[in-house]
């Protein structure tokens, strides 16, 4: 069975371009906490939104595991386009669109 974990980006800087905003000092600490949180959890692959804050959030975990970060067109704004609740089927469909 495959398990997928979703991690929202850590606290980000509120100024600058949406795509280029990095993490605050607190956000960088949160990214380090992800390493500890996932310490006993096997991870085979890491995907991230291309947004800098998302990449910066998973980078410490990827570096600790020696894994590359694969950029996927997976952004929360994609979910905001729909006004419906996400059923498991709809979520699976959106994930497939984002990863392919």
């Amino acid at each position: 069975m495959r398990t997928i974990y979703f991690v929202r980006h850590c606290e980000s800087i509120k100024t600058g371009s949406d795509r280029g905003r990095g993490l605050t000092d607190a956000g960088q600490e949160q990214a380090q906490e992800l390493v500890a949180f996932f310490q006993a959890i096997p991870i085979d692959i890491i995907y991230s939104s291309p947004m800098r804050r998302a990449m910066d959030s998973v980078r410490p975990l990827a570096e600790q595991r020696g894994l590359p970060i694969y950029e996927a067109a997976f952004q929360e704004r994609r979910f905001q386009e729909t006004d419906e609740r996400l059923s498991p089927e709809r979520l699976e469909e959106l994930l497939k669109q984002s990863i392919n």
Side-chain angles (χ1 to χ4, degrees), residues 18-71:
D18 190 47
R19 186 177 178 90
R21 290 188 289 137
L23 301 179
T24 63
D25 290 343
Q28 291 173 17
E29 289 177 26
Q30 292 168 347
Q32 291 299 324
E33 291 171 10
L34 284 175
V35 175
F37 179 85
F38 284 105
Q39 185 172 359
I41 299 172
I43 296 175
D44 298 319
I45 193 164
I46 297 175
Y47 288 99
S48 176
S49 159
M51 302 295 187
R52 180 177 165 202
R53 62 188 175 273
M55 289 284 205
D56 289 352
S57 295
V58 296
R59 186 169 288 110
L61 178 61
E63 288 174 353
Q64 188 264 345
R65 298 290 178 104
L67 294 172
I69 301 171
Y70 293 95
E71 189 175 300

